PDB file of all heavy atoms in Angstrom:
ATOM      1  N   THR A 167      82.897 -23.299  71.345  1.00  0.00           N
ATOM      2  CA  THR A 167      83.710 -23.253  70.186  1.00  0.00           C
ATOM      3  C   THR A 167      83.362 -24.517  69.325  1.00  0.00           C
ATOM      4  O   THR A 167      83.177 -25.555  69.823  1.00  0.00           O
ATOM      5  CB  THR A 167      85.174 -23.343  70.628  1.00  0.00           C
ATOM      6  OG1 THR A 167      85.425 -24.416  71.508  1.00  0.00           O
ATOM      7  CG2 THR A 167      85.697 -22.118  71.225  1.00  0.00           C
ATOM      8  N   ASP A 168      83.382 -24.302  68.081  1.00  0.00           N
ATOM      9  CA  ASP A 168      83.185 -25.371  67.062  1.00  0.00           C
ATOM     10  C   ASP A 168      81.711 -26.001  67.036  1.00  0.00           C
ATOM     11  O   ASP A 168      81.005 -26.040  66.081  1.00  0.00           O
ATOM     12  CB  ASP A 168      84.184 -26.502  67.246  1.00  0.00           C
ATOM     13  CG  ASP A 168      85.663 -25.994  67.099  1.00  0.00           C
ATOM     14  OD1 ASP A 168      85.834 -24.989  66.270  1.00  0.00           O
ATOM     15  OD2 ASP A 168      86.499 -26.483  67.761  1.00  0.00           O
ATOM     16  N   SER A 169      81.361 -26.576  68.218  1.00  0.00           N
ATOM     17  CA  SER A 169      80.020 -27.257  68.287  1.00  0.00           C
ATOM     18  C   SER A 169      79.462 -27.174  69.634  1.00  0.00           C
ATOM     19  O   SER A 169      80.194 -27.028  70.662  1.00  0.00           O
ATOM     20  CB  SER A 169      80.110 -28.629  67.820  1.00  0.00           C
ATOM     21  OG  SER A 169      80.919 -29.513  68.601  1.00  0.00           O
ATOM     22  N   VAL A 170      78.178 -27.408  69.849  1.00  0.00           N
ATOM     23  CA  VAL A 170      77.491 -27.352  71.125  1.00  0.00           C
ATOM     24  C   VAL A 170      76.291 -28.249  71.069  1.00  0.00           C
ATOM     25  O   VAL A 170      75.724 -28.430  70.068  1.00  0.00           O
ATOM     26  CB  VAL A 170      77.202 -25.936  71.462  1.00  0.00           C
ATOM     27  CG1 VAL A 170      76.103 -25.378  70.577  1.00  0.00           C
ATOM     28  CG2 VAL A 170      76.945 -25.724  72.938  1.00  0.00           C
ATOM     29  N   GLN A 171      75.839 -28.683  72.271  1.00  0.00           N
ATOM     30  CA  GLN A 171      74.594 -29.387  72.386  1.00  0.00           C
ATOM     31  C   GLN A 171      73.660 -28.499  73.166  1.00  0.00           C
ATOM     32  O   GLN A 171      73.986 -27.999  74.265  1.00  0.00           O
ATOM     33  CB  GLN A 171      74.838 -30.625  73.241  1.00  0.00           C
ATOM     34  CG  GLN A 171      73.632 -31.569  73.250  1.00  0.00           C
ATOM     35  CD  GLN A 171      73.360 -32.274  72.079  1.00  0.00           C
ATOM     36  OE1 GLN A 171      74.216 -32.671  71.413  1.00  0.00           O
ATOM     37  NE2 GLN A 171      72.042 -32.438  71.605  1.00  0.00           N
ATOM     38  N   SER A 172      72.473 -28.343  72.633  1.00  0.00           N
ATOM     39  CA  SER A 172      71.408 -27.493  73.280  1.00  0.00           C
ATOM     40  C   SER A 172      70.178 -28.421  73.447  1.00  0.00           C
ATOM     41  O   SER A 172      70.102 -29.489  72.819  1.00  0.00           O
ATOM     42  CB  SER A 172      71.090 -26.264  72.465  1.00  0.00           C
ATOM     43  OG  SER A 172      70.303 -26.631  71.282  1.00  0.00           O
ATOM     44  N   ALA A 173      69.119 -27.878  74.067  1.00  0.00           N
ATOM     45  CA  ALA A 173      67.809 -28.568  74.126  1.00  0.00           C
ATOM     46  C   ALA A 173      67.201 -28.706  72.785  1.00  0.00           C
ATOM     47  O   ALA A 173      66.290 -29.486  72.608  1.00  0.00           O
ATOM     48  CB  ALA A 173      66.989 -27.828  75.084  1.00  0.00           C
ATOM     49  N   CYS A 174      67.639 -27.935  71.846  1.00  0.00           N
ATOM     50  CA  CYS A 174      67.072 -27.940  70.532  1.00  0.00           C
ATOM     51  C   CYS A 174      67.868 -28.962  69.558  1.00  0.00           C
ATOM     52  O   CYS A 174      67.508 -29.167  68.485  1.00  0.00           O
ATOM     53  CB  CYS A 174      67.157 -26.608  69.835  1.00  0.00           C
ATOM     54  SG  CYS A 174      66.073 -25.324  70.630  1.00  0.00           S
ATOM     55  N   GLY A 175      68.924 -29.501  70.201  1.00  0.00           N
ATOM     56  CA  GLY A 175      69.755 -30.398  69.362  1.00  0.00           C
ATOM     57  C   GLY A 175      71.147 -29.963  69.309  1.00  0.00           C
ATOM     58  O   GLY A 175      71.526 -29.004  70.095  1.00  0.00           O
ATOM     59  N   ALA A 176      71.982 -30.500  68.430  1.00  0.00           N
ATOM     60  CA  ALA A 176      73.369 -30.266  68.246  1.00  0.00           C
ATOM     61  C   ALA A 176      73.505 -29.223  67.191  1.00  0.00           C
ATOM     62  O   ALA A 176      72.707 -29.151  66.207  1.00  0.00           O
ATOM     63  CB  ALA A 176      74.152 -31.540  67.915  1.00  0.00           C
ATOM     64  N   ALA A 177      74.510 -28.310  67.354  1.00  0.00           N
ATOM     65  CA  ALA A 177      74.735 -27.262  66.391  1.00  0.00           C
ATOM     66  C   ALA A 177      76.255 -26.968  66.279  1.00  0.00           C
ATOM     67  O   ALA A 177      76.976 -27.177  67.152  1.00  0.00           O
ATOM     68  CB  ALA A 177      74.117 -26.006  66.822  1.00  0.00           C
ATOM     69  N   ALA A 178      76.584 -26.693  65.039  1.00  0.00           N
ATOM     70  CA  ALA A 178      77.988 -26.277  64.689  1.00  0.00           C
ATOM     71  C   ALA A 178      78.015 -24.716  64.757  1.00  0.00           C
ATOM     72  O   ALA A 178      77.151 -24.018  64.505  1.00  0.00           O
ATOM     73  CB  ALA A 178      78.322 -26.860  63.293  1.00  0.00           C
ATOM     74  N   SER A 179      79.322 -24.216  64.916  1.00  0.00           N
ATOM     75  CA  SER A 179      79.540 -22.819  64.978  1.00  0.00           C
ATOM     76  C   SER A 179      79.227 -22.201  63.640  1.00  0.00           C
ATOM     77  O   SER A 179      78.907 -20.990  63.581  1.00  0.00           O
ATOM     78  CB  SER A 179      80.960 -22.483  65.374  1.00  0.00           C
ATOM     79  OG  SER A 179      81.786 -23.013  64.501  1.00  0.00           O
TER      80      SER A 179
END
Side-chain angles (χ1 to χ4, degrees):
T167 51
D168 299 328
S169 63
V170 71
Q171 187 73 40
S172 76
C174 296
S179 59

